[in-house]
């Protein structure tokens, strides 16, 4: 049996340990929790509690594009940003009713492409760690692009496709190739920061079979050919006697030089469309060249 002095000492130590384990009166409860980003523009953004004396760590389930971070620098500080994480802290506790938004794009471009949060200060709680999760991809029976947010003009700047030099354009002469059974109309070339693009309407002549464009290549006078991505305004083949808007786009190395390419679009039955002398003027502020 414990002596009275030893018993009193033991009770005092236990009481002191319990007091240290409890948060000080008025202190915010520290939370660490998972948060799922909004999957559509109409959904409300998740709310994160921040405080002026506590950094908040966001851990992302997939890599992010740090240069696309958006926030109010007068109210929010980004202490660190990595491949899958950012650490933020408000300059001071946010006022009653004040809501600050912070957002960043994921690197893979998969929907939802952007993670955004509303930051508020709560007197009772603070989030010291947020595990950012993306919603599960839609089932295969649903169109993949049904949940993708519509792009906005600022997205192209944030993603680095546009800079202060703007975009240059050049008109391309209409072509007719009776042997292959093609005519082109209204073709325009575009050149921006690190990319080139051709927007062209292709007619499949009535004496030829339906034709589906499958792949495209930009070939210059020097250097290796550039494999292009093809985007069509409508899926499926171009029926005889009908037209289809086709876009070919490729990434390029940064350079001040002007480019001249031949664009070749290949498709069914070995048929191909060749558009020579496609010009991409060097980037410069201004309109069409």
């Amino acid at each position: 049996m414990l002596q009275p002095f030893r018993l009193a000492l033991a009770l005092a130590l236990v009481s002191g340990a319990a007091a240290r384990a409890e948060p000080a009166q008025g202190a915010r409860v520290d939370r660490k929790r998972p948060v799922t980003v909004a999957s559509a523009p109409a959904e409300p953004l998740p709310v994160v509690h921040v405080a002026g004396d506590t950094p908040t760590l966001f851990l992302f389930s997939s890599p992010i594009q740090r240069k696309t971070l958006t926030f109010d620098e007068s109210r929010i500080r980004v202490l660190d940003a990595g491949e899958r994480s950012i650490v933020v802290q408000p300059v001071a506790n946010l006022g009653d009713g004040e809501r600050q938004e912070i957002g960043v794009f994921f690197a893979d471009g998969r929907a939802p492409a952007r993670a955004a949060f509303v930051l508020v200060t709560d007197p009772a709680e603070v989030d010291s760690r947020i595990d950012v999760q993306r919603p599960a991809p839609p089932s295969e029976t649903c169109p993949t692009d049904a949940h993708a947010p519509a792009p906005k003009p600022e997205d192209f700047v944030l993603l680095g496709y546009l800079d202060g030099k703007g975009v240059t354009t050049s008109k391309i002469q209409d072509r007719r190739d009776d042997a292959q059974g093609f005519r082109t109309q209204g073709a325009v070339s575009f050149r921006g920061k690190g990319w080139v693009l051709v927007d062209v309407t292709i007619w499949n002549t009535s004496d030829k079979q339906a034709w589906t464009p499958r792949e495209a290549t930009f070939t210059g006078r020097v250097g290796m050919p550039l494999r292009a991505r093809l985007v069509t305004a409508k899926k499926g083949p171009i029926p005889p006697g009908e037209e289809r808007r086709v876009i070919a786009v490729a990434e390029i190395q940064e350079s001040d030089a002007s480019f001249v390419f031949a664009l070749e679009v290949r498709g069914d039955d070995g048929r191909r469309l060749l558009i020579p002398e496609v010009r991409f003027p060097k980037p410069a502020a201004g309109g069409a060249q």
Side-chain angles (χ1 to χ4, degrees):
M1 183 174 180
L2 290 174
Q3 297 295 325
F5 174 76
R6 292 181 179 177
L7 178 60
L9 178 60
L11 291 174
L13 291 174
V14 171
S15 176
R20 288 192 296 272
E22 295 178 356
Q25 188 172 2
R28 293 178 173 86
V29 176
D30 184 358
R31 300 194 304 177
K32 300 177 179 65
R33 60 191 179 97
V35 168
T36 301
V37 301
S39 60
E43 290 187 18
L45 299 181
V47 176
V48 175
H49 294 163
V50 295
D53 59 356
T54 304
T56 297
L57 168 65
F58 290 83
L59 287 178
F60 295 84
S61 58
S62 56
I64 58 174
Q65 298 190 54
R66 289 172 288 180
K67 65 181 181 180
T68 66
L69 266 171
T70 53
F71 59 96
D72 184 349
E73 296 183 8
S74 67
R75 301 295 292 141
I76 303 297
R77 292 191 297 255
V78 173
L79 306 180
D80 186 57
E83 183 182 4
R84 291 175 178 258
S85 65
I86 56 175
V87 181
V88 305
Q89 188 173 0
V91 175
N93 287 336
L94 304 180
D96 292 341
E98 182 179 1
R99 298 164 63 88
Q100 292 290 330
E101 181 176 327
I102 186 169
V104 66
F105 280 89
F106 289 101
D108 59 13
R110 179 173 64 83
R114 185 172 183 262
F117 311 89
V118 170
L119 307 182
V120 302
T121 294
D122 185 280
E125 298 175 334
V126 60
D127 294 315
S128 62
R129 171 171 165 169
I130 296 293
D131 293 312
V132 182
Q133 301 176 352
R134 298 168 87 175
S139 63
E140 294 182 359
T141 58
C142 298
T144 304
D145 57 356
H147 300 282
K152 300 180 289 293
E154 60 268 27
D155 293 340
F156 299 100
V157 177
L158 292 171
L159 291 170
Y161 297 137
L162 295 177
D163 61 7
K165 296 181 180 180
V167 175
T168 56
T169 67
S170 180
K171 293 183 179 179
I172 302 172
Q173 185 176 1
D174 294 345
R175 285 189 55 78
R176 184 185 186 103
D177 188 337
D178 293 330
Q180 294 291 324
F182 296 119
R183 288 188 291 120
T184 68
Q185 182 178 0
V188 180
S189 66
F190 298 79
R191 178 178 176 183
K193 181 177 171 57
W195 56 270
V196 292
L197 180 152
V198 168
D199 182 0
V200 58
T201 297
I202 300 176
W203 286 82
N204 185 22
T205 57
S206 58
D207 60 335
K208 297 293 184 179
Q209 294 182 346
W211 181 78
T212 302
R214 301 291 186 184
E215 57 185 21
T217 304
F218 290 105
T219 304
R221 294 169 181 168
V222 295
M224 296 293 292
L226 299 176
R227 183 72 176 267
R229 298 190 304 275
L230 275 181
V231 180
T232 57
K234 183 180 178 181
K235 301 298 183 183
I238 308 175
E242 296 189 18
E243 64 177 23
R244 184 72 46 82
R245 185 181 182 188
V246 177
I247 293 174
V249 59
E251 281 73 34
I252 60 172
Q253 297 295 321
E254 292 300 317
S255 173
D256 290 331
S258 296
F259 292 113
V260 179
F261 285 102
L263 170 61
E264 183 181 34
V265 182
R266 296 175 295 277
D268 299 334
D269 301 327
R271 292 171 61 196
R272 65 188 186 99
L273 169 66
L274 182 65
I275 306 177
E277 299 295 319
V278 178
R279 299 181 179 275
F280 296 103
K282 65 180 179 180
Q289 301 294 311

